[in-house]
Amino acid sequence: MNAIDIKNLSKTFVSTRTGERVIALENVNLSIPQGEFTAIVGPSGCGKSTLLSIMAGILAATEGQAVHFGETITGPAPDRGVLFQDYALFPWLTVRQNIAFGPKALGTPADSYEPEVDRLITVVGLEGFGDRLPHELSGGMRQRCALARMLANNPRTWLMDEPLAAVDLQTRTLLQEEILRVWGEDRPREDRPTIVFITHGIDEAVLLADRVVVLGRRPGRVKAEMIIDLPRPRFEHRDPAAEGRQVQQIWDEIREEARTAILED
Ligand SMILES: Nc1ncnc2c1ncn2[C@@H]1O[C@H](COP(=O)(O)OP(=O)(O)OP(=O)(O)O)[C@@H](O)[C@H]1O
Ligand SMILES: [Mg+2]
């Protein structure tokens, strides 16, 4: 079963000011199997965030459709969790209140979500910080909190847009490992959530994903898909040479477009 099916999907933005049209995505077809970790890479402006926002139900497609477990996506839903680069925490709520936000909004009684919030605080390593406000946390801790907040709704699908782009290298490595652990690398596929993970880092995509989708640019469409069959748990089987070969292969696919993107911008 596929968690997500993108069918002949196009998205055109029309500027309300100038009337200018930008074709962000054109005729994208993509299937994301349940329980798989799919990374999406591609040059800046190729439509990665647009595609993820359509999967999240935050943006509507111009043509075609996005389907989640057989149902056409028409808006956001708690079983599609979203995590963005810029934390997107509520600044006036504590860590605990941020994490509790989703279950509370869904009307879950406090005595049932409170133990779960405590558990998640431990899962993401924020013990002792539950009563802090976001501005009292480091960037890495804020992103842990955002991850816990996404997990609080127990989503079947995790939609992540460059979630680790804003944290330092060491924190990123720790969080990469943590994401894989929380996802359940060693569990059978059917027991795992599905992850769609956008990144600029091809090495990060290879390190984490089962499959890397390369989006091309102008207009955005799927250029290539590659299976990453490195053994799991990935951090226990690091093999820089094997990773390097996969990275090289992907880089070969996007080099020309990345260069054009840099020249145009
Ligand atoms: N709300 C919007 N209105 C008009 N154009 C938009 C809008 N959002 C995105 N675009 C355009 O759509 C194209 C794709 O943008 P998108 O943000 O999806 O790219 P991206 O691949 O996520 O880029 P990056 O890697 O820099 O994050 C770009 O040309 C962008 O300028
Ligand atoms: Mg983006």
Side-chain angles (χ1 to χ4, degrees):
M1 172 117 201
N2 289 331
I4 290 187
D5 289 294
I6 301 292
K7 300 178 186 168
N8 306 318
L9 185 136
S10 300
K11 176 70 184 178
T12 304
F13 289 106
V14 182
S15 165
T16 45
R17 269 184 314 111
T18 63
E20 188 200 353
R21 295 160 63 85
V22 176
I23 303 173
L25 297 168
E26 190 168 75
N27 202 24
V28 173
N29 286 283
L30 177 65
S31 290
I32 296 179
Q34 176 181 11
E36 210 176 78
F37 191 131
T38 299
I40 299 180
V41 300
S44 187
C46 72
K48 301 182 294 297
S49 295
T50 302
L51 183 58
L52 198 90
S53 299
I54 291 171
M55 293 179 189
I58 299 166
L59 273 181
T62 312
E63 278 171 62
Q65 52 179 345
V67 174
H68 187 238
F69 288 101
E71 285 183 34
T72 301
I73 295 167
T74 54
D79 70 343
R80 276 174 279 122
V82 186
L83 185 59
F84 292 109
Q85 165 179 356
D86 53 5
Y87 322 121
L89 296 171
F90 300 115
W92 60 90
L93 297 182
T94 64
V95 165
R96 186 179 302 281
Q97 290 165 335
N98 264 287
I99 299 172
F101 186 86
K104 208 170 159 182
L106 287 175
T108 313
D111 56 355
S112 103
Y113 70 70
E114 269 166 7
E116 180 60 9
V117 169
D118 284 332
R119 191 186 69 83
L120 286 171
I121 286 177
T122 311
V123 165
V124 300
L126 284 177
E127 298 100 327
F129 295 92
D131 297 322
R132 297 250 189 132
L133 289 167
H135 79 266
E136 297 170 317
L137 304 173
S138 71
M141 291 163 97
R142 283 202 287 270
Q143 203 54 322
R144 278 165 208 273
C145 180
L147 176 64
R149 195 178 63 167
M150 184 195 82
L151 295 175
N153 287 321
N154 198 17
R156 281 207 281 179
T157 302
W158 304 0
L159 304 171
M160 306 167 103
D161 192 352
E162 300 195 44
L164 306 180
V167 301
D168 66 85
L169 193 62
Q170 284 169 40
T171 308
R172 188 177 311 152
T173 308
L174 289 173
L175 284 178
Q176 285 168 339
E177 200 168 352
E178 218 151 285
I179 287 169
L180 291 182
R181 183 176 55 75
V182 177
W183 174 53
E185 261 195 306
D186 39 15
R187 274 189 276 158
R189 247 168 218 225
E190 53 277 19
D191 296 343
R192 281 195 311 230
T194 306
I195 300 186
V196 184
F197 189 101
I198 290 173
T199 176
H200 271 125
I202 298 172
D203 46 352
E204 181 173 66
V206 166
L207 175 60
L208 301 178
D210 297 311
R211 203 155 56 108
V212 177
V213 173
V214 179
L215 280 194
R217 182 168 197 261
R218 300 258 157 90
R221 59 170 75 213
V222 175
K223 247 197 120 205
E225 283 188 48
M226 258 157 284
I227 303 288
I228 310 295
D229 52 7
L230 300 170
R232 295 191 183 277
R234 291 279 165 87
F235 278 86
E236 284 174 28
H237 300 96
R238 292 298 306 257
D239 180 352
E243 287 169 29
R245 281 192 295 276
Q246 302 261 21
V247 168
Q248 190 57 44
Q249 223 181 355
I250 296 168
W251 191 231
D252 288 343
E253 290 287 341
I254 66 171
R255 188 185 323 261
E256 230 6 82
E257 293 206 48
R259 191 176 293 147
T260 321
I262 290 165
L263 291 176
E264 283 176 10
D265 287 343

